[in-house]
């Protein structure tokens, strides 16, 4: 069973940025490594599901002509929108939506899966990844980064997520970075 939505609503009701994405050195460094690992200097369209408060979304905006980001929690998506608006990023579009809800583009050339897929049980990962990869153009970049710690709210472990991605025959791994705290993989969509 996936992590229930009420868990996320409860987290955001108690704090604007419950995981301290905007201030944590761990998060800011992780975002910096993810951006530095992207093979292309510039992307046309980026899609970032589960964008939370939009810290990574704002960073991605500097490398992309358009960024589309979603989060299922209104308060998180509102913060992400305010962050983008405050920075004058009119090419960033944030919606309250599920990752697989219809979105304004047919596809993207950059798909970013950050701290997101471990909320799905292991036996559901392949199906979800297959659906998400349908959004990524052949030749596009798929970046994934997940914490390796244990948390009761996670339906699986970050290792499970990256193992599922590594098994894909429609992805070619370009970057593999492992640290004590997280895994970062960047793939080309075949």
């Amino acid at each position: 069973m996936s992590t229930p939505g009420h868990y996320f609503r409860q987290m955001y009701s108690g704090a604007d940025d419950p995981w301290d994405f905007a201030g944590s050195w761990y998060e800011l460094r992780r975002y910096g490594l993810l951006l530095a690992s992207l093979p292309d200097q510039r992307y046309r369209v980026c899609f970032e599901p589960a964008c939370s408060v939009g810290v990574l979304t704002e960073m991605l905006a500097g490398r992309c002509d358009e960024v589309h980001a979603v989060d299922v929690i209104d308060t998180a998506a509102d913060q992400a929108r305010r962050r983008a608006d405050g920075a004058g990023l009119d090419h960033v579009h944030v919606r309250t939506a599920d990752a697989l809800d219809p979105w304004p583009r047919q596809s993207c050339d950059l798909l970013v899966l950050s701290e997101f897929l471990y909320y799905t049980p292991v036996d559901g990962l392949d199906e979800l990844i297959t659906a998400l990869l349908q959004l990524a153009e052949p030749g596009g970049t798929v970046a994934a980064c997940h914490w390796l710690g244990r948390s009761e709210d996670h339906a699986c472990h970050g290792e499970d997520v990256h193992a599922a991605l590594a098994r894909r025959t429609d992805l070619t791994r370009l970057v593999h970075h492992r640290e004590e705290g997280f895994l970062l993989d960047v793939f080309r969509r075949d």
Side-chain angles (χ1 to χ4, degrees), residues 65-175:
D65 297 338
E66 276 181 55
V67 178
H68 295 268
V70 297
D71 201 284
V72 293
I73 303 300
D74 280 334
T75 55
D78 285 346
Q79 286 187 66
R81 270 190 297 276
R82 284 196 306 270
R83 181 180 305 280
D85 290 347
L89 301 173
D90 58 2
H91 63 298
V92 173
H93 311 279
V94 181
R95 296 179 299 123
T96 301
D98 183 81
L100 297 178
D101 286 347
W103 62 303
R105 294 289 178 203
Q106 292 289 325
S107 61
C108 60
D109 59 344
L110 175 60
L111 176 63
V112 177
L113 308 170
S114 177
E115 307 288 12
F116 155 57
L117 291 172
Y118 49 44
Y119 293 109
T120 299
V122 170
D123 62 0
L125 279 173
D126 288 337
E127 182 179 346
L128 178 57
I129 291 170
T130 295
L132 288 166
L133 290 181
Q134 290 177 359
L135 303 173
E137 299 172 357
T141 299
V142 178
C145 191
H146 291 84
W147 182 55
L148 293 176
R150 300 243 177 230
S151 179
E152 290 183 10
D153 59 302
H154 294 176
C156 71
H157 193 265
E159 296 269 11
D160 299 321
V161 169
H162 286 256
L165 288 163
R167 285 193 303 268
R168 304 287 306 196
T169 58
D170 51 356
L171 292 175
T172 298
R173 185 156 49 196
L174 306 174
V175 174

Side-chain angles (χ1 to χ4, degrees), residues 26 30 33 145-148 177-183:
Y26 165 83
R30 189 175 65 80
L33 288 168
C145 191
H146 291 84
W147 182 55
L148 293 176
H177 179 82
R178 181 186 190 90
E179 295 193 5
E180 184 178 359
F182 66 88
L183 272 172

Side-chain angles (χ1 to χ4, degrees), residues 13 19 34 44-45 109 120 135 163 182:
S13 71
W19 288 277
L34 188 152
R44 287 180 298 99
V45 180
D109 59 344
T120 299
L135 303 173
F182 66 88

